[in-house]
Amino acid sequence: MPDRSFLDWPFFENRHRALAAELDAWAGATLPGLVDHHDVDGSCRRLVAALGQAGWLRHAVPASYGGASDRLDVRSLCLIRETLARHEGLADFAFAMQGLGTGPVTLFGSDSLKDRVLPPVRDGRAIAAFALSEPEAGSDVAATGTMAVSDGPDAVRIDGEKTFISNGGIADHYVVFARTGEAPGARGLSAFLVPADTPGLTVAERIEVIAPHPLATLRFEGCRVPLADRIGGAGEGFKVAMATLDVFRSTVGAAALGFARRALDEALGRARGRKMFGGSLGDLQLSQAALAEMATEIDASALLIYRAAWAKDRGAVRVTREAAMAKMHATEAAQRVIDRAVQLFGGLGVTRGVKVEELYREIRALRIYEGATEVQKIVIARQLLAEAE
């Protein structure tokens, strides 16, 4: 039985507690029938549709477009990702990308873009994606090489390549960041909404990773996009990307927290049920030490995550340091928690089909995407140094 005591913390309101309980019940009853790990694309399509039909994707858009809150409520986003991840990694992925893939439109899009994009995403009728990374520009956004050049008075032409794009190949639209040249480096980028069927946009390669998810390399060759589909102003692409990640980076930590909670639950069941040396695995002091360390790491992660989410919901303009700390600690701690769970399972822990083995593969990417751990350390240190000045 997962620990729910954290819901009594003062970070949460009664609506958050109700949300967590309702989603947990829905996920337990619904998700097993939707997921086939041998059909990842089909599973994600089914999951997005089900999340939309059940109303959970209302939390990924603002109330003015049929959402659950006046603005994106980060505590709700974190609770949803934590709960879904504890049940099924692909469900968390499907929900997260609907939010991340439309976050720039929610925060900076024109009314016409919001009218066009947000309702289908909210209802699970459209799949969203966020296309920032490139072969030579992942953590270093300023190195973005994809170009968007003027193509008449009302359009741009995009040329370049994006890679490791989540939902690549199944998305209905991509938020694409390209160099428009208003200034050097990060100040010369702009963001555009690019429908998947735009001529010149092709899926160059599908990417296979250790925990299967829809990932692809996208190629843009003379891809013509109306200026009306630019998100934010010219040269504001870096601001759009960072403000979006400021909202969603804490939720990556929440997904890791969900994986870690599931690993602890599995480890507790194993410790109580596995007979060893005339008693149970849980009777051994080293097993008890491992369980204690796992539980402590989980609580520390939860405190950092929900502090960052609470601060953002309370009106903080930026929570860059808090979100970076939450993401860094939670993903690294979850890796350690899951590794201990595998160790407690012994040989069974590295066997396909056993949940802790699945979690071991699922957690690894979270330490990399939306800013690798090393990047989070740089972000935190720079914030500290700037504040010290």
Side-chain angles (χ1 to χ4, degrees):
M1 188 71 177
D3 176 26
R4 297 180 185 275
S5 62
F6 74 100
L7 290 168
D8 293 327
W9 293 350
F11 296 124
F12 303 106
E13 301 167 20
N14 286 335
R15 62 189 175 92
H16 296 115
R17 299 178 184 101
L19 169 67
E22 291 166 14
L23 178 57
D24 189 52
W26 179 87
T30 308
L31 293 182
L34 297 175
V35 177
D36 175 3
H37 286 199
H38 300 290
D39 177 19
V40 173
D41 288 2
S43 295
C44 286
R45 291 189 178 99
R46 289 189 294 273
L47 286 163
V48 168
L51 288 164
Q53 290 164 11
W56 302 117
L57 291 177
R58 292 176 59 242
H59 293 276
V61 301
S64 52
Y65 292 88
S69 306
D70 289 340
R71 59 180 183 175
L72 296 179
D73 185 84
V74 185
R75 286 169 293 176
S76 294
L77 294 173
C78 287
L79 282 170
I80 292 170
R81 290 203 66 180
E82 177 186 334
T83 303
L84 291 175
R86 183 162 49 78
H87 284 274
E88 169 56 53
L90 272 180
D92 162 64
F93 172 89
F95 175 84
M97 289 313 304
Q98 293 297 90
L100 183 63
T102 53
V105 177
T106 296
L107 297 173
F108 295 95
S110 65
D111 289 342
S112 61
L113 269 181
K114 292 175 183 177
D115 287 337
R116 195 169 96 215
V117 170
L118 298 183
V121 166
R122 174 202 66 207
D123 297 338
R125 293 182 285 111
I127 295 177
F130 185 88
L132 180 62
S133 296
E134 299 184 1
E136 302 300 327
S139 299
D140 183 7
V141 177
T144 294
T146 296
M147 299 292 297
V149 300
S150 178
D151 189 21
D154 60 354
V156 296
R157 188 180 68 251
I158 300 178
D159 290 276
E161 195 171 90
K162 299 290 182 178
T163 194
F164 289 107
I165 304 306
S166 294
N167 277 343
I170 68 169
D172 294 286
H173 73 254
Y174 300 90
V175 173
V176 178
F177 296 84
R179 183 162 301 285
T180 44
E182 290 77 14
R187 293 177 295 168
L189 307 177
S190 298
F192 300 90
L193 184 89
V194 183
D197 60 358
T198 303
L201 167 57
T202 57
V203 177
E205 178 189 15
R206 293 300 297 271
I207 301 171
E208 298 291 333
V209 289
I210 57 174
H213 293 82
L215 287 174
T217 297
L218 307 177
R219 186 166 294 136
F220 300 84
E221 297 176 304
C223 190
R224 195 171 191 271
V225 177
L227 270 180
D229 287 355
R230 187 177 63 204
I231 303 168
E236 291 186 349
F238 184 77
K239 181 175 89 170
V240 170
M242 293 304 104
T244 303
L245 293 176
D246 214 37
V247 171
F248 287 96
R249 188 163 275 159
S250 299
T251 77
V252 181
L257 178 60
F259 290 146
R261 288 197 195 279
R262 180 61 181 270
L264 177 58
D265 291 346
E266 296 289 328
L268 286 167
R270 178 70 170 174
R272 294 176 65 192
R274 173 65 164 165
K275 302 302 180 186
M276 292 188 73
F277 306 119
S280 70
L281 179 62
D283 291 331
L284 302 178
Q285 288 184 337
L286 285 175
S287 298
Q288 293 173 6
L291 294 169
E293 290 167 356
M294 293 161 76
T296 302
E297 296 247 53
I298 286 170
D299 271 13
S301 295
L303 285 163
L304 285 168
I305 291 161
Y306 290 111
R307 177 192 69 161
W310 172 83
K312 188 66 176 175
D313 290 340
R314 291 268 292 181
V317 176
R318 298 297 300 269
V319 290
T320 304
R321 184 182 72 173
E322 294 89 341
M325 286 179 171
K327 198 268 185 185
M328 177 186 74
H329 185 276
T331 54
E332 292 292 331
Q335 181 83 61
R336 294 189 292 269
V337 167
I338 294 167
D339 186 72
R340 290 190 186 104
V342 169
Q343 198 72 10
L344 287 167
F345 269 74
L348 195 61
V350 291
T351 305
R352 286 272 184 175
V354 175
K355 187 65 179 181
V356 293
E357 183 272 340
E358 178 188 320
L359 292 169
Y360 194 82
R361 288 182 289 109
E362 286 278 9
I363 189 56
R364 191 59 186 86
L366 273 67
R367 294 169 57 205
I368 298 172
Y369 76 68
E370 289 192 39
T373 294
E374 292 74 16
V375 173
Q376 303 309 323
K377 291 178 180 179
I378 293 170
V379 169
I380 294 163
R382 285 179 176 173
Q383 287 281 307
L384 291 171
L385 290 166
E387 290 165 9
E389 290 177 1

